[in-house]
Amino acid sequence: MVDEIMAAMVTQEDLMLVLQQSVAPQSPKLRIEVLDQKQKIIGILSGVVSGSMSISGESDVRRTADFVLQPTLTDNIKLTENSLLWLNKDIRIFAGLYNIRTREYRYYPLGAYVYTDTSGTYDASSNSLTVHCADFMKKLDGTKNGQLGPLAITFPAYREDEQTGEVLEYYTIRSAVIETLERLGHITNHRINDMGEYKAMPEYNEHWKQYREENATWNTIPYDQEFSAGCSVLSILTTFRDLYPNYEMFFDMEANTFTCQLKPMCYEDDVFLDHDFIQRVLISESTSVDLASVRNICEVWGKVIETDFYSDACSYAGNTYTSSISGYEEAYYNGDVIALRIPAYNLENAKLNINGLGAIRIYSEAAGKPLEAYTLKPGQVYAFQIKKQRVEGRDQIRAYLLGQWQIHALNVLTNGRKSGQLVTSPNGQSFELYSKEYFQNFYNCERVDLTIVPGSPYTVERLGEIPDIKVGGEYENITSDDLAADRAKWENWKNSRLTDQITITTALLPFLDVNKKVSYQRSDADQEYQYIITSVSHDFSAYTSTITMYRFYPLYETLLKEAGTHKTLGEYSHGVLGKYTHEELAGVVSGDVL
């Protein structure tokens, strides 16, 4: 009978196969296919006596594997050019579970790999060969391939008319990633999602289509990208990936497709494995909280904005900031960055007029809406970027507030409840403790966002203020307060969630992957909680899987955004209800959500 290869979706039959292994007459086993440079199968590695595999959602090289072979005289697995173990060979690994009913193995793909560490290490005393492997990212990071030549590489942000300087075409981040993969990395099997401003993503903004129509450069390279001679393909790819936070790149396990996408937040995902099933295969449990790494405030200092034009001479009248700038062109140009020292607070719908070119409305880069009153403070220098928008079929010139010269943003993890306690600042002003105004004044930061997670044990109300300050290095690439705020939220998410971990060991679960949601009740807990898998390790000697996962804290703001606050539970979807405790939902029904 022919062995079966599993489809991508896990079924009840797959779960039953795991439970059968304790009584199956055949143990789980590995199948290792050797591929030539055209990715055709040229042999099968036999004699595998042990092995292990690891998957990490936080590493560029997501999967690594090691296995031990016992070669025989007839096996073509010596360390020679013509053997199945050599530098120009790749492998695919499958784990098989025996099906008592069909008397066949069902095989689960564990990904494609390249040999590392020269191919392996032979031990004559035990007649064993240890082989070390990693996924295809090693073909891009310079280990097996991917290191580029002696010439520097530049990806321009746009193409312009050499005579007039007018921008003819903006280059997108996605197209730069594809060009890097295909031209430099020789990878054609890929799935690259859109990359760009988070407000243009359906995951974050219900009006994302409108935003894309009004902001034609939402997914373009923000500034020229230059790479030095001798860099790797992977370093170029990760530079583009990290222009905006919360993206990931990896080769998937099924088709070895290079994938670039937003990291899944798992808000609406179904539970991949439930507590009852895990209990039936559970071997051990270990709970840990990295107290030294817990943070509940993230402060990001971004780029010192390089402006095209600057002026101290600025007046405010008729709700319009007027300035005369020597050398400025005869028209507003898309992309120009202008810095002005502001003489007075702004009112709503404030405008900007440079050199009498006409008053253009000032918009918030963060909200994409006209600037709110009193956003700009007297005596401060602010940077504005001129953007041409497409609104209702017509071009419209707007000035977007990027922030002060030094990009600065703060994110705070809070339970959202009012403290009722007043704190006096050095200048004599009083602010409610842990309010937005409190953080703005005590941290001297205008852009402050509060992330509300009522159930988190790490909020400022429970632990006090534990800041994490991000400055220099990659953070110098952040070009607006909006982007800094998004990055601060992402970093704070990691600091206050990835530290709350639990590790369990189970029977071999070869279909596991990272970023999957499971339901589990810890041995010291009185109820089940949801967790997200962050790493998996398989031991093919003991046939076990070790799973590390972090506690899933859904954002309360998601519920409020989707359904409001004064509604009955019947008006919520099952996907939304499943994210909250009974206590939280009771608060929603009563309207006392904060």
Side-chain angles (χ1 to χ4, degrees):
M1 305 182 86
V2 179
D3 292 331
E4 182 182 6
I5 301 293
M6 181 210 109
M9 185 65 66
V10 175
T11 65
Q12 282 299 119
E13 183 178 357
D14 298 316
L15 302 180
M16 289 304 300
L17 283 181
V18 174
L19 298 175
Q20 284 182 12
Q21 297 312 297
S22 61
V23 296
Q26 303 287 341
S27 299
K29 67 179 182 180
L30 287 183
R31 171 174 170 171
I32 303 178
E33 300 174 347
V34 182
L35 312 173
D36 63 15
Q37 291 178 304
K38 296 182 179 179
Q39 300 300 292
K40 293 184 178 180
I41 300 175
I42 58 175
I44 303 292
L45 289 180
S46 58
V48 179
V49 295
S50 64
S52 63
M53 174 202 168
S54 297
I55 313 171
S56 172
E58 300 301 313
S59 174
D60 288 331
V61 180
R62 178 163 288 197
R63 297 186 312 279
T64 57
D66 304 288
F67 52 90
V68 178
L69 304 170
Q70 285 190 336
T72 66
L73 293 177
T74 58
D75 287 333
N76 186 20
I77 53 175
K78 299 178 181 180
L79 295 179
T80 62
E81 183 177 356
N82 296 322
S83 78
L84 296 179
L85 295 177
W86 199 244
L87 298 174
N88 62 344
K89 309 294 194 309
D90 301 324
I91 62 173
R92 280 199 302 255
I93 303 178
F94 299 83
L97 297 181
Y98 188 74
N99 189 322
I100 296 176
R101 180 177 57 81
T102 63
R103 299 180 182 179
E104 299 174 350
Y105 276 93
R106 168 172 279 200
Y107 282 95
Y108 298 83
L110 299 180
Y113 298 80
V114 300
Y115 297 127
T116 59
D117 297 343
T118 314
S119 293
T121 303
Y122 179 69
D123 185 343
S125 62
S126 62
N127 187 34
S128 64
L129 186 68
T130 301
V131 180
H132 306 283
C133 307
D135 66 30
F136 272 34
M137 279 297 186
K138 287 294 183 180
K139 290 192 173 186
L140 301 175
D141 72 354
T143 300
K144 293 298 292 286
N145 282 312
Q147 187 172 13
L148 302 178
L151 298 179
I153 299 173
T154 300
F155 287 83
Y158 53 82
R159 179 172 61 88
E160 64 182 11
D161 188 303
E162 295 182 359
Q163 302 298 323
T164 65
E166 180 183 0
V167 175
L168 302 176
E169 178 184 8
Y170 288 95
Y171 297 124
T172 67
I173 301 172
R174 181 176 182 271
S175 64
V177 169
I178 293 175
E179 180 183 352
T180 302
L181 273 176
E182 296 184 348
R183 183 170 65 87
L184 303 178
H186 310 294
I187 301 292
T188 57
N189 180 24
H190 52 70
R191 179 174 62 82
I192 313 300
N193 287 359
D194 287 322
M195 305 173 68
E197 299 178 24
Y198 80 96
K199 294 192 292 290
M201 300 301 169
E203 293 87 350
Y204 299 129
N205 183 5
E206 60 183 332
H207 304 297
W208 61 275
K209 289 184 178 180
Q210 178 182 346
Y211 185 85
R212 290 186 180 185
E213 291 175 357
E214 296 179 355
N215 298 270
T217 60
W218 67 270
N219 61 346
T220 59
I221 301 173
Y223 47 87
D224 293 352
Q225 301 294 320
E226 299 181 356
F227 302 94
S228 59
C231 69
S232 69
V233 173
L234 182 58
S235 67
I236 296 176
L237 292 171
T238 55
T239 296
F240 286 121
R241 178 197 65 192
D242 295 340
L243 285 173
Y244 294 94
N246 205 17
Y247 283 89
E248 62 180 359
M249 289 178 170
F250 60 93
F251 284 90
D252 70 23
M253 289 199 294
E254 286 77 28
N256 201 35
T257 301
F258 182 95
T259 303
C260 177
Q261 63 182 22
L262 278 170
K263 288 188 177 182
M265 302 305 290
C266 303
Y267 291 140
E268 306 296 337
D269 290 5
D270 292 330
V271 171
F272 189 73
L273 294 177
D274 62 26
H275 172 77
D276 292 338
F277 175 79
I278 293 176
Q279 284 298 312
R280 299 175 70 180
V281 296
L282 182 67
I283 298 173
S284 66
E285 170 194 307
S286 174
T287 303
S288 66
V289 177
D290 185 359
L291 297 178
S293 299
V294 171
R295 300 289 185 272
N296 51 27
I297 296 174
C298 185
E299 184 176 15
V300 172
W301 292 90
K303 190 181 185 69
V304 175
I305 298 177
E306 298 178 4
T307 59
D308 299 304
F309 302 93
Y310 168 76
S311 178
D312 267 324
C314 182
S315 61
Y316 183 66
N319 203 22
T320 299
Y321 293 99
T322 301
S323 179
S324 178
I325 300 179
S326 176
Y328 194 67
E329 300 291 343
E330 298 179 355
Y332 293 113
Y333 278 96
N334 192 37
D336 281 347
V337 177
I338 299 171
L340 299 174
R341 186 175 297 278
I342 297 301
Y345 283 108
N346 66 290
L347 299 178
E348 289 185 0
N349 297 315
K351 297 180 177 63
L352 186 68
N353 191 347
I354 305 297
N355 290 357
L357 297 176
I360 56 177
R361 182 168 293 177
I362 303 174
Y363 280 73
S364 165
E365 175 74 5
K369 298 178 180 179
L371 206 62
E372 294 183 357
Y374 303 105
T375 300
L376 304 179
K377 297 180 179 180
Q380 300 294 326
V381 176
Y382 294 92
F384 305 87
Q385 185 171 41
I386 305 301
K387 290 186 180 182
K388 181 187 294 184
Q389 307 294 319
R390 193 72 176 171
V391 181
E392 297 180 351
R394 299 193 309 174
D395 288 338
Q396 186 178 107
I397 301 296
R398 296 175 176 176
Y400 279 84
L401 173 64
L402 298 180
Q404 298 187 46
W405 253 351
Q406 171 77 67
I407 299 302
H408 189 199
L410 196 76
N411 184 270
V412 180
L413 180 67
T414 171
N415 65 19
R417 299 181 184 275
K418 295 181 178 181
S419 68
Q421 179 180 347
L422 294 180
V423 179
T424 303
S425 68
N427 62 9
Q429 289 183 285
S430 294
F431 304 96
E432 184 173 32
L433 182 65
Y434 301 146
S435 65
K436 185 173 183 178
E437 293 74 19
Y438 165 83
F439 289 106
Q440 285 175 325
N441 283 271
F442 279 83
Y443 285 79
N444 193 27
C445 179
E446 290 189 27
R447 182 61 193 276
V448 173
D449 290 340
L450 305 180
T451 296
I452 300 173
V453 185
S456 173
Y458 307 127
T459 61
V460 291
E461 289 82 3
R462 294 192 180 189
L463 297 183
E465 299 167 42
I466 310 178
D468 180 22
I469 301 173
K470 304 294 187 183
V471 62
E474 61 183 295
Y475 301 99
E476 293 179 350
N477 296 326
I478 297 176
T479 56
S480 74
D481 286 353
D482 185 19
L483 294 177
D486 196 34
R487 183 59 179 265
K489 183 175 183 178
W490 168 242
E491 296 288 350
N492 217 22
W493 180 87
K494 292 194 295 183
N495 289 338
S496 57
R497 287 161 176 76
L498 298 185
T499 52
D500 187 1
Q501 293 185 342
I502 182 171
T503 299
I504 60 175
T505 299
T506 68
L508 182 64
L509 304 175
F511 40 72
L512 286 183
D513 202 355
V514 295
N515 297 324
K516 299 293 185 182
K517 183 189 289 184
V518 301
S519 177
Y520 183 71
Q521 181 175 338
R522 292 182 347 201
S523 58
D524 60 351
D526 57 1
Q527 67 180 83
E528 290 182 29
Y529 293 102
Q530 292 181 346
Y531 293 84
I532 306 299
I533 298 175
T534 185
S535 68
V536 179
S537 296
H538 299 305
D539 183 340
F540 300 117
S541 301
Y543 303 116
T544 60
S545 296
T546 299
I547 309 158
T548 300
M549 49 195 182
Y550 62 85
R551 173 87 176 273
F552 175 61
Y553 295 102
L555 295 181
Y556 214 63
E557 61 196 41
T558 305
L559 178 59
L560 304 184
K561 177 181 177 182
E562 292 190 26
T565 58
H566 302 283
K567 297 190 177 185
T568 63
L569 296 184
E571 295 177 333
Y572 294 86
S573 70
H574 291 292
V576 172
L577 291 177
K579 298 183 293 186
Y580 302 94
T581 66
H582 292 295
E583 180 182 0
E584 290 170 342
L585 290 174
V588 173
V589 173
S590 66
D592 183 23
V593 295
L594 299 182

